[in-house]
Amino acid sequence: MSEIENIAKQMIAKGRGILAADESTGTMTKRLSSINIESTSENRLKFREALFSAEGIKNYIGGVILYDETIKQKTSSGKTIPELIRSFGSIPGIKVDIGTKKLAGSPEEKITEGLDGLRERLAEYYKLGARFAKWRAVYNISEEYPSKLAIKSNAHALARYAALVQEAKMVPIVEPEVLMDGKHDIMKCYKVTDGVLKECYKELKLHNVNLKGTILKPNMILPGNKSKDKSNTLEIAKMTLKCIKENVPNEVPGIAFLSGGQTEIEATQNLNEINKINDTNFLLSFSYGRALQQSALKNWAKNIRDINNTQKIFNHRSKMNGLSTSAKWSMDLEKQLTV
Ligand code: 13P
């Protein structure tokens, strides 16, 4: 097995998932401001260091996605952040897209940027210790969107990114996120995601990407957050698994779902249900940002010196999500946390 194929498996095998701690400074500033914490680089590091040195990383987090600022920072004891993550048995990775812009030709939609100079940036990140990368494309659902143009141009960019990442000997996380904003029902989300994934795999193959050395990070199939459709967990799990089976080639070792605005428990419960009915060879895991960090961040905001309880909360979330990768999560276990 090649090195990248090996890394891809390690990131999500054995009950592990991925911690997405790659919020841009802008996003992190919004999160911190909402809890009345000043967004200085020191505070951003403090919170992230608390998570990266939590015991939960060892058993449940196979990879941590970092932002450009964080991968270059050092801990209070002088270790680099990638060294800290390694010392907890996890693999450091890096977000390499530089965000979204209006898509010329369909300005209500977004295109992800960051291909210019990417080869050189990847070489630098590799030297800093990154062994995988992330690029996120976003698609909005409405009556007329996403357009063919948005689907095609974002898939093209994702494939060019993935080919460059593999050339740099790293694993690309391919993240086409169909947003849950809107009034649409679950079927609409299914159809849009189906079209998006088909186009992504067409482009990835065209760009000769080795699918065995990739991880797909898709949205789950959900009704819109303003929808009247109240599909239950089993329906969500069935539709999500069907969409994966119909679109993801067998060579892909695994899938790490994003949480996309679900609550922490919803994200865990849905993944648990998906794994209950998983009859494929895919590893079905998580790559959560908000759904792993929200409660921990809230606690930290109350007292930024209370690292113990912040880590306790994060460890619990990590464990609950870890259990959901083998359908062993339950609401009873969920309630066992006492902080
Ligand atoms: P959420 O799990 O908060 O959606 O974030 C995942 C992510 O990395 C988005 O790019």
Side-chain angles (χ1 to χ4, degrees):
M1 201 190 300
S2 79
E3 184 59 18
I4 56 167
E5 293 173 15
N6 213 354
I7 294 170
K9 281 231 170 89
Q10 273 179 43
M11 286 161 63
I12 53 170
K14 300 189 185 134
R16 290 186 165 88
I18 298 166
L19 166 62
D22 60 324
E23 298 84 0
S24 66
T25 300
T27 302
M28 202 58 191
T29 299
K30 273 189 221 147
R31 304 248 159 101
L32 293 177
S33 310
S34 74
I35 49 170
N36 298 319
I37 302 271
E38 195 189 351
S39 181
T40 59
S41 78
E42 198 194 347
N43 279 344
R44 293 192 287 274
L45 176 63
K46 265 190 195 151
F47 176 65
R48 286 169 166 158
E49 191 180 334
L51 301 188
F52 305 161
S53 48
E55 284 297 301
I57 298 275
K58 289 185 183 160
N59 293 323
Y60 307 112
I61 304 294
V64 179
I65 317 175
L66 301 168
Y67 183 58
D68 179 75
E69 175 186 63
T70 326
I71 199 171
K72 296 171 180 164
Q73 284 175 317
K74 288 201 167 139
T75 66
S76 35
S77 64
K79 269 190 192 150
T80 68
I81 292 295
E83 281 166 355
L84 171 68
I85 292 167
R86 282 261 172 222
S87 73
F88 276 71
S90 190
I91 302 171
I94 181 77
K95 184 227 294 288
V96 298
D97 69 68
I98 56 171
T100 58
K101 289 270 163 68
K102 269 199 291 196
L103 173 62
S106 184
E108 300 280 312
E109 298 185 279
K110 302 272 192 239
I111 181 76
T112 303
E113 298 204 331
L115 288 170
D116 289 353
L118 181 55
R119 180 175 274 132
E120 293 71 26
R121 286 196 292 130
L122 288 168
E124 188 197 351
Y125 288 137
Y126 187 91
K127 276 196 202 140
L128 290 167
R131 290 296 176 270
F132 70 93
K134 177 190 117 171
W135 178 288
R136 171 177 177 254
V138 286
Y139 311 83
N140 249 308
I141 297 187
S142 70
E143 293 279 312
E144 68 231 86
Y145 300 128
S147 65
K148 236 186 200 169
L149 175 64
I151 292 174
K152 275 190 177 291
S153 47
N154 274 300
H156 176 81
L158 271 167
R160 284 187 59 199
Y161 139 83
L164 279 163
V165 172
Q166 290 192 334
E167 183 192 272
K169 305 201 171 359
M170 293 189 264
V171 172
I173 293 185
V174 174
E175 181 179 5
E177 176 175 4
V178 177
L179 297 171
M180 69 189 281
D181 304 344
K183 292 183 185 157
H184 55 272
D185 62 10
I186 194 167
M187 201 55 215
K188 177 80 180 181
C189 177
Y190 179 94
K191 282 189 189 143
V192 170
T193 307
D194 178 75
V196 162
L197 292 181
K198 279 200 169 60
E199 192 63 28
C200 284
Y201 282 106
K202 193 170 120 198
E203 285 290 326
L204 287 164
K205 283 184 185 157
L206 185 65
H207 286 77
N208 298 319
V209 172
N210 170 10
L211 295 180
K212 290 185 186 165
T214 63
I215 287 182
L216 176 69
K217 175 165 171 165
N219 49 284
M220 294 180 194
I221 306 298
L222 303 164
N225 57 5
K226 296 189 192 82
S227 175
K228 288 194 190 100
D229 175 355
K230 296 285 171 250
S231 292
N232 65 29
T233 311
L234 182 60
E235 283 153 352
I236 290 167
K238 279 186 181 163
M239 296 284 259
T240 303
L241 195 62
K242 180 168 149 67
C243 199
I244 295 300
K245 278 159 93 168
E246 297 211 342
N247 290 295
V248 185
N250 285 329
E251 302 101 281
V252 176
I255 288 143
F257 291 99
L258 58 93
S259 60
Q262 298 176 73
T263 65
E264 291 178 329
I265 294 184
E266 274 166 3
T268 308
Q269 187 167 20
N270 284 334
L271 182 58
N272 192 65
E273 200 68 28
I274 293 168
N275 275 303
K276 262 191 208 164
I277 60 167
N278 182 14
D279 55 356
T280 71
N281 289 323
F282 296 125
L283 293 162
L284 300 179
S285 184
F286 57 92
S287 175
Y288 296 159
R290 285 162 285 181
L292 269 168
Q293 299 183 57
Q294 233 158 36
S295 300
L297 184 62
K298 242 192 197 163
N299 182 81
W300 185 74
K302 280 192 269 170
N303 178 1
I304 65 174
R305 273 179 291 274
D306 181 16
I307 300 295
N308 258 349
N309 278 328
T310 298
Q311 290 186 332
K312 209 168 156 187
I313 294 167
F314 174 73
N315 290 340
H316 182 70
R317 242 358 316 120
S318 302
K319 183 175 178 183
M320 293 301 105
N321 285 313
L323 290 172
S324 77
T325 65
S326 51
K328 291 193 182 115
W329 171 88
S330 71
M331 198 55 98
D332 285 345
L333 291 170
E334 187 63 55
K335 287 179 187 148
Q336 280 173 13
L337 176 70
T338 46
V339 168

